[in-house]
Amino acid sequence: MLNDIQKHILEVVSGMAADASGAINIRADGKKAYRSNTPNVQIESKTDKDGIDIFVKPHTTSDHVYIPVVITEEGLHDTVYNDFYIGEGAVVTINAGCGIHNCSGCDSEHEGIHTFHVGKNAQVTYSEIHYGEGEGEGKRILNPQTILYLEEGAKVTLETTQIRGVDDTKRYTKAVLMGDHAEFTVQEKLLTHGNQKAESEMDVVLDGKDCRTQVISRSVAQDESTQIFYPRVVGNNACFGHVQCDSIIMGKAKVRSIPEISCNHVDASLVHEAAIGKIAGDQILKLQTLGLSYEEAEEKILEGFLR
């Protein structure tokens, strides 16, 4: 059974209602806390290392999978290996949030290494929310890795969100679009504050003919936090890729954005753009004329930017 703190974190990171249906695997403080399967989705514990294998049967339609992680044990360094096998023509939504509650002087850390094998014409929406809380001096550290292999016609949307409380994070994402007409979309949202540090590194390899990718990253850096974005897209066939990084910088924060594109085929069409700037004064003023305070106006602008 989960305690009240674990239940609170679970609600924040998973979006899972109390009566949620679907395949569920809850990991709490490095151990399996709860699991349920469906006729079309089977979750099995690994036998060679810590983690799970998730099998989605071919032609599954509109199934939901929840695999949240909760850490409340002080000083815990948790590493888990999760492998997803998505059958041909399946349509599935996966929620894989992680939250850390740390009130100690020791660092707490979670590393989730997720590998996806996405079958022909399958469609996957993968959502991951990261969250940290607690008044201890120990850090809340999250270092996720997501590796994806897409077969012909496969479509994957990766939605990653990091909200307040995570002190250090290094995210690495790699997607290899092996089959023709595969599509990979990334929607990344990040907010850092205090002295937090966040790095996001990404490799998207477009091998199949007429593959497409769109990478959109939006971030807000407040106080003295630092952010680094390094998305790389490689076109090895006739393909299209678009990388867009937009950041709002505040206080004494620092943001570095390094989008990179590489074309190795005459019919590869790749575009990248990056923008870093502060909130415009006229935006604040306009909202203040509607009755909002400066702080309320600022919050509304940031909320809309990260939506």
Side-chain angles (χ1 to χ4, degrees):
M1 295 294 292
L2 301 178
N3 59 40
D4 290 341
I5 293 176
Q6 292 172 331
K7 290 178 181 177
H8 161 68
I9 296 175
L10 178 65
E11 183 179 351
V12 171
V13 302
S14 71
M16 188 171 63
D19 58 348
S21 61
I24 301 172
N25 189 91
I26 300 174
R27 182 178 177 90
D29 291 333
K31 300 176 182 178
K32 181 181 73 174
Y34 176 79
R35 178 179 299 166
S36 68
N37 291 320
T38 70
N40 291 322
V41 181
Q42 298 293 309
I43 302 175
E44 301 176 1
S45 297
K46 289 185 177 294
T47 57
D48 57 339
K49 52 189 173 183
D50 206 358
I52 54 177
D53 292 324
I54 300 97
F55 300 92
V56 180
K57 291 183 179 180
H59 307 294
T60 294
T61 57
S62 302
D63 247 0
H64 213 124
V65 181
Y66 298 92
I67 55 166
V69 174
V70 176
I71 293 178
T72 58
E73 180 181 321
E74 62 182 53
L76 179 65
H77 289 235
D78 183 37
T79 301
V80 64
Y81 299 84
N82 297 333
D83 288 83
F84 301 79
Y85 300 90
I86 314 298
E88 179 179 347
V91 179
V92 64
T93 299
I94 301 169
N95 287 57
C98 180
I100 297 178
H101 178 92
N102 188 3
C103 287
S104 74
C106 303
D107 294 349
S108 294
E109 180 177 349
H110 175 73
E111 293 189 23
I113 296 89
H114 294 174
T115 303
F116 287 77
H117 305 272
V118 186
K120 182 178 179 180
N121 295 323
Q123 298 182 39
V124 178
T125 299
Y126 178 70
S127 176
E128 189 174 73
I129 296 176
H130 284 170
Y131 169 73
E133 65 176 29
E135 301 301 325
E137 295 182 0
K139 290 184 177 180
R140 291 153 289 274
I141 303 170
L142 290 167
N143 295 326
Q145 294 184 35
T146 306
I147 314 298
L148 308 102
Y149 301 96
L150 282 67
E151 297 185 14
E152 180 183 350
K155 297 181 180 180
V156 175
T157 298
L158 175 62
E159 302 171 346
T160 65
T161 303
Q162 181 169 306
I163 50 184
R164 292 180 179 273
V166 179
D167 295 299
D168 285 333
T169 185
K170 290 186 177 181
R171 176 185 296 278
Y172 178 68
T173 304
K174 180 178 181 179
V176 182
L177 283 64
M178 305 180 297
D180 297 347
H181 305 286
E183 296 185 16
F184 179 58
T185 302
V186 179
Q187 298 172 355
E188 183 178 62
K189 301 174 185 178
L190 171 68
L191 186 147
T192 56
H193 61 99
N195 293 306
Q196 295 172 353
K197 299 178 181 178
E199 297 182 20
S200 180
E201 188 175 359
M202 187 179 305
D203 288 300
V204 181
V205 183
L206 304 174
D207 283 337
K209 184 179 180 181
D210 295 326
C211 287
R212 298 179 64 88
T213 188
Q214 184 174 37
V215 177
I216 299 177
S217 174
R218 289 192 170 185
S219 73
V220 175
Q222 298 176 325
D223 306 321
E224 297 183 355
S225 63
T226 59
Q227 299 178 3
I228 299 176
F229 298 94
Y230 197 176
R232 300 177 291 266
V233 176
V234 179
N236 294 325
N237 208 327
C239 60
F240 174 80
H242 175 223
V243 181
Q244 178 180 335
C245 303
D246 295 325
S247 300
I248 290 178
I249 188 169
M250 305 170 69
K252 297 182 180 180
K254 297 179 180 179
V255 178
R256 187 181 181 193
S257 185
I258 322 164
E260 178 183 318
I261 52 177
S262 301
C263 287
N264 298 319
H265 191 282
V266 67
D267 291 320
S269 178
L270 305 179
V271 180
H272 75 71
E273 51 186 317
I276 303 172
K278 64 180 181 179
I279 297 176
D282 59 342
Q283 292 178 301
I284 294 285
L285 182 60
K286 182 177 180 179
L287 290 176
Q288 285 182 306
T289 61
L290 298 176
L292 275 65
S293 67
Y294 183 93
E295 291 76 15
E296 290 171 337
E298 186 177 79
E299 190 67 26
K300 282 293 182 183
I301 292 170
L302 298 182
E303 181 182 320
F305 178 74
L306 292 174
R307 181 172 300 165

